[in-house]
Amino acid sequence: MHPYSIVIHGGAGTILKEDMTPELEKAYIQGLQDAVNAGFAVLEEGGSATNAVKAAIVILEDNLLFNAGRGSVFTKKGVQEMDAAIMDGKDLSAGAVAGVRNVRNPIELAAEVMHSSNHVFLSGKGANDFAIKQGIKLEPDEYFFSQFRYDQWKAIRDSDNYSLDHTHQNLEELMRDKKFGTVGAVACDQDGNIAAATSTGGMTNKKYGRIGDSPLIGCGTYANNKTAAISCTGHGEPFIRAVAAHDVSALMEYKGMSLQEAMNEVVNHKLLKMDGEGGMIGVDAKGNTAMIFNSAGMYRGMRNSHGENVIGIYHD
Ligand code: ASP
């Protein structure tokens, strides 16, 4: 049997142990473990890598602790606009959505774009119309409301600031309570196929229809059986300019680097030089995994068929 594995993240940024209560830490660890287990169960039953990453992401989107689906941040206009992408490394098929509203699980809509449209990337109202046509589950605005997110937004809505949910940016007091993060998953299945998925509410107080790296194929999300499946988290703009996820793949394909070496090069050298705070998770077609970040912390977890199970938040 081919070794199989799943890796997830729940966002990266200024996540400090001193800002965390034991209860909150426990809730995060549980949320991450639940998502890892959901994805792993799919792989264990012989399911595909794309179904495994989707299953893990749905659990994280439904969890208020993370900035995706239900726990998405508020935009400048005080609403939630969500982005998501999924890619299958077997045939390079991909689906993505940006700026969608009221969709309970944006990753399911992205998968629907991949499987049932002739397109890769849908945005805004058109993407919402497609969701309705395909029978994707919608929820009212109240479903996406959380007091914490609202307070976080209220504190900066009259400024031109926008913020990564885990980063202080002069908002120490506000962010002491920070709880959420973009979510991602990568997996290698029993057939040696790999897939990547990412889902996010983006950045608090974002405006002008701002879209980050998460739904952009090659930037925040990429999968290719020849190299790796990657999902990124962090300050989206530098990740876009670095074409970060695809750069890992290119370093592996053209320079013969290992997954770990290529991810380290992109996260700790290229992105760092561009003030690109954040991190990424990766898996290759042999089932090897890596989780690398240049920020204070990254919510993360992995499990594989060798019996390893790791959940982490800070630097070890
Ligand atoms: N990368 C995401 C964005 O820029 C944010 C995050 O990872 O938390 O939209």
Side-chain angles (χ1 to χ4, degrees):
M1 185 192 50
H2 192 284
Y4 52 95
S5 47
I6 180 145
V7 193
I8 63 157
H9 71 72
T14 312
I15 307 163
L16 300 169
K17 198 163 176 67
E18 57 263 33
D19 292 341
M20 195 71 90
T21 63
E23 296 75 39
L24 194 54
E25 194 172 286
K26 220 173 123 199
Y28 270 115
I29 289 169
Q30 190 61 54
L32 293 165
Q33 188 67 62
D34 289 347
V36 163
N37 291 350
F40 193 76
V42 173
L43 298 173
E44 227 171 4
E45 285 159 17
S48 68
T50 47
N51 281 340
V53 292
K54 211 170 69 172
I57 297 271
V58 163
I59 297 286
L60 295 165
E61 285 177 338
D62 288 348
N63 188 334
L64 262 182
L65 288 175
F66 301 97
N67 172 21
R70 190 172 188 194
S72 291
V73 296
F74 285 83
T75 65
K76 180 84 180 165
K77 289 192 173 149
V79 296
Q80 283 82 22
E81 290 174 357
M82 301 168 283
D83 309 328
I86 187 164
M87 186 162 185
D88 186 345
K90 187 170 60 178
D91 58 3
L92 305 184
S93 59
V97 292
V100 295
R101 298 202 48 204
N102 301 98
V103 174
R104 183 186 173 108
N105 294 109
I107 201 62
E108 289 191 341
L109 182 55
E112 204 61 27
V113 172
M114 175 167 80
H115 294 304
S116 311
S117 77
N118 292 319
H119 308 294
V120 170
F121 199 1
L122 303 182
S123 73
K125 181 160 180 337
N128 269 89
D129 290 346
F130 182 67
I132 293 164
K133 179 173 162 278
Q134 299 303 113
I136 294 284
K137 194 156 194 216
L138 302 179
E139 297 287 356
D141 286 351
E142 303 80 73
Y143 171 81
F144 299 90
F145 183 88
S146 60
Q147 194 60 47
F148 162 73
R149 277 296 179 208
Y150 184 74
D151 293 344
Q152 187 183 45
W153 166 67
K154 227 168 59 182
I156 59 170
R157 71 180 168 190
D158 295 327
S159 73
D160 272 341
N161 283 352
Y162 63 96
S163 73
L164 193 60
D165 23 319
H166 307 304
T167 300
H168 287 262
Q169 296 191 353
N170 303 322
L171 295 167
E172 271 87 348
E173 217 175 277
L174 171 72
M175 296 307 211
R176 190 155 303 135
D177 209 22
K178 60 196 174 294
K179 290 174 181 161
F180 308 106
T182 287
V183 306
V186 295
C188 174
D189 64 27
Q190 294 193 27
D191 295 323
N193 291 316
I194 59 177
T198 313
S199 180
T200 187
M203 295 178 87
T204 298
N205 215 33
K206 65 183 182 181
K207 58 183 178 180
Y208 307 133
R210 180 263 184 194
I211 298 165
D213 60 313
S214 309
L216 298 182
I217 298 304
C219 298
T221 307
Y222 189 71
N224 184 342
N225 273 8
K226 269 183 16 192
T227 53
I230 302 289
S231 170
C232 302
T233 173
H235 191 175
E237 280 69 7
F239 279 74
I240 294 173
R241 292 191 284 123
V243 199
H246 184 265
D247 201 31
V248 172
S249 173
L251 287 169
M252 293 173 72
E253 185 170 3
Y254 306 131
K255 269 200 154 179
M257 284 189 182
S258 69
L259 175 71
Q260 183 86 25
E261 285 166 351
M263 283 173 57
N264 186 52
E265 173 64 27
V266 174
V267 174
N268 288 323
H269 297 280
K270 290 194 177 176
L271 282 165
L272 213 54
K273 279 191 205 130
M274 302 165 75
D275 284 332
E277 184 189 0
M280 56 173 71
I281 53 171
V283 67
D284 66 18
K286 293 194 192 100
N288 297 313
T289 60
M291 312 185 264
I292 297 188
F293 53 102
N294 61 32
S295 45
M298 179 169 82
Y299 296 107
R300 60 197 187 276
M302 70 78 74
R303 192 169 164 192
N304 64 24
S305 52
H306 301 303
E308 286 172 276
N309 185 94
V310 179
I311 303 289
I313 300 178
Y314 321 100
H315 278 283
D316 297 325

